[in-house]
Amino acid sequence: MGTPQGGLVSPILANMALDGIEETLSKHFPKMKVYFIRYADDFVVTAPTEEIANEIREIIRAFLIIRGLELSPEKTKITHISEGFDFLGWNIRKFNATYLTQPSKKSVESITQKIRSIVRKGRAWTQDELIKALNPIIRGWANYHRHIVAKKTFKKLDAYLWTVTWRWAQRRHSNKGRKWIVGRYWQQEGNRNWVFQTQENKLLLFSDFTIRRHAMPKLEMNPYLDRKYFLERKERIKRQTPWIQTRVSFFAFRRPAIGL
């Protein structure tokens, strides 16, 4: 109580309160493939059958009651992997024999709504101001989803970007023709003919962020003892994604977090 949702201490308190669920499940199912995946107060539990999943739900419910917490009825459900489920903005589902992790529909709706809101707010902005407002949103969302199966989603969002910027330009110059508007706001760059840019700024596209599978760090490595490994990893990530250089540098050599 008294902790704002999204505050810095909120995920720490959530981790402290939920620590122990994994150990409890291991004791109840020592020889069974039951896996517990948690991110702050969001978690997923996988089980071999629906009956075991129902049993796990009751075990977790009892675990939470002791701590004065309860499962959210709206956010808690038991589903088969072929139907899939959403977790942290991703939809995880098995198609035939293939597991796919894609941006969830809610996440796509959220980013399109955010873009639409910014464009509407910026009806009287200059092209530079609009680009500066949109680029951080595009960069952040694309960086988050670039490690999963998101190529088709990126292309759809690029098409949406073109639509909203074209409407923005038309609204500003309702008495001008299509050719004049194109020449005013779009330029050619290499093989691309529709680059929404000025002399100082260029609108990013979601497809500018290539899909790159996440490489798990070696968990046995210590950032103080195995400095060479972390330096090489940092340089490799920097080459692939130069705009997160500072952020990677911070996390690679920060003091290890307790309880995470």
Side-chain angles (χ1 to χ4, degrees), residues 212 215 232-242 244 248:
R212 176 171 56 83
E232 291 176 349
R233 178 180 172 84
K234 173 189 168 185
E235 288 301 318
R236 184 172 64 253
I237 295 176
K238 186 175 106 175
R239 289 193 300 270
Q240 295 170 335
T241 320
I244 63 170
V248 171

Side-chain angles (χ1 to χ4, degrees), residues 108 112 150-161 206:
V108 174
T112 53
K151 189 174 181 178
K152 289 183 179 179
T153 303
F154 283 3
K155 288 184 177 180
K156 289 180 180 178
L157 289 173
D158 285 345
Y160 180 76
L161 270 178
F206 289 91

Side-chain angles (χ1 to χ4, degrees), residues 86-104:
D86 291 348
F87 184 56
L88 302 179
W90 295 340
N91 178 263
I92 303 168
R93 185 178 176 186
K94 184 178 181 181
F95 295 87
N96 296 323
T98 304
Y99 286 94
L100 292 181
T101 302
Q102 301 172 307
S104 67

Side-chain angles (χ1 to χ4, degrees), residues 188-194:
Q188 184 175 2
E189 186 179 84
N191 295 326
R192 288 173 53 187
N193 296 321
W194 291 85

Side-chain angles (χ1 to χ4, degrees), residues 142-208:
N143 270 329
Y144 182 77
H145 293 282
R146 69 180 307 195
H147 302 288
I148 60 174
V149 183
K151 189 174 181 178
K152 289 183 179 179
T153 303
F154 283 3
K155 288 184 177 180
K156 289 180 180 178
L157 289 173
D158 285 345
Y160 180 76
L161 270 178
W162 183 89
T163 300
V164 294
T165 51
W166 174 253
R167 289 175 180 171
W168 174 88
Q170 277 189 316
R171 188 178 294 111
R172 288 172 63 88
H173 306 283
S174 56
N175 60 335
K176 298 291 185 179
R178 176 186 176 93
K179 188 175 181 179
W180 186 94
I181 295 175
V182 172
R184 174 69 174 79
Y185 293 104
W186 280 268
Q187 300 180 25
Q188 184 175 2
E189 186 179 84
N191 295 326
R192 288 173 53 187
N193 296 321
W194 291 85
V195 182
F196 192 75
Q197 66 177 7
T198 64
Q199 291 182 351
E200 298 179 358
N201 294 292
K202 178 176 70 173
L203 182 67
L204 294 174
L205 295 179
F206 289 91
S207 55
D208 289 338

Side-chain angles (χ1 to χ4, degrees), residues 37-92:
I37 305 98
R38 173 162 58 93
Y39 185 88
D41 60 343
D42 290 319
F43 59 85
V44 171
V45 184
T46 63
T49 67
E50 183 178 357
E51 290 74 18
I52 294 174
N54 279 298
E55 185 179 351
I56 290 171
R57 180 172 57 184
E58 296 310 311
I59 292 172
I60 293 177
R61 196 190 305 276
F63 179 94
L64 295 178
I65 288 176
I66 300 173
R67 289 157 176 77
L69 302 172
E70 60 182 13
L71 291 174
S72 168
E74 296 81 14
K75 296 181 180 179
T76 304
K77 72 172 184 176
I78 294 176
T79 181
H80 193 270
I81 190 60
S82 61
E83 297 176 3
F85 59 92
D86 291 348
F87 184 56
L88 302 179
W90 295 340
N91 178 263
I92 303 168

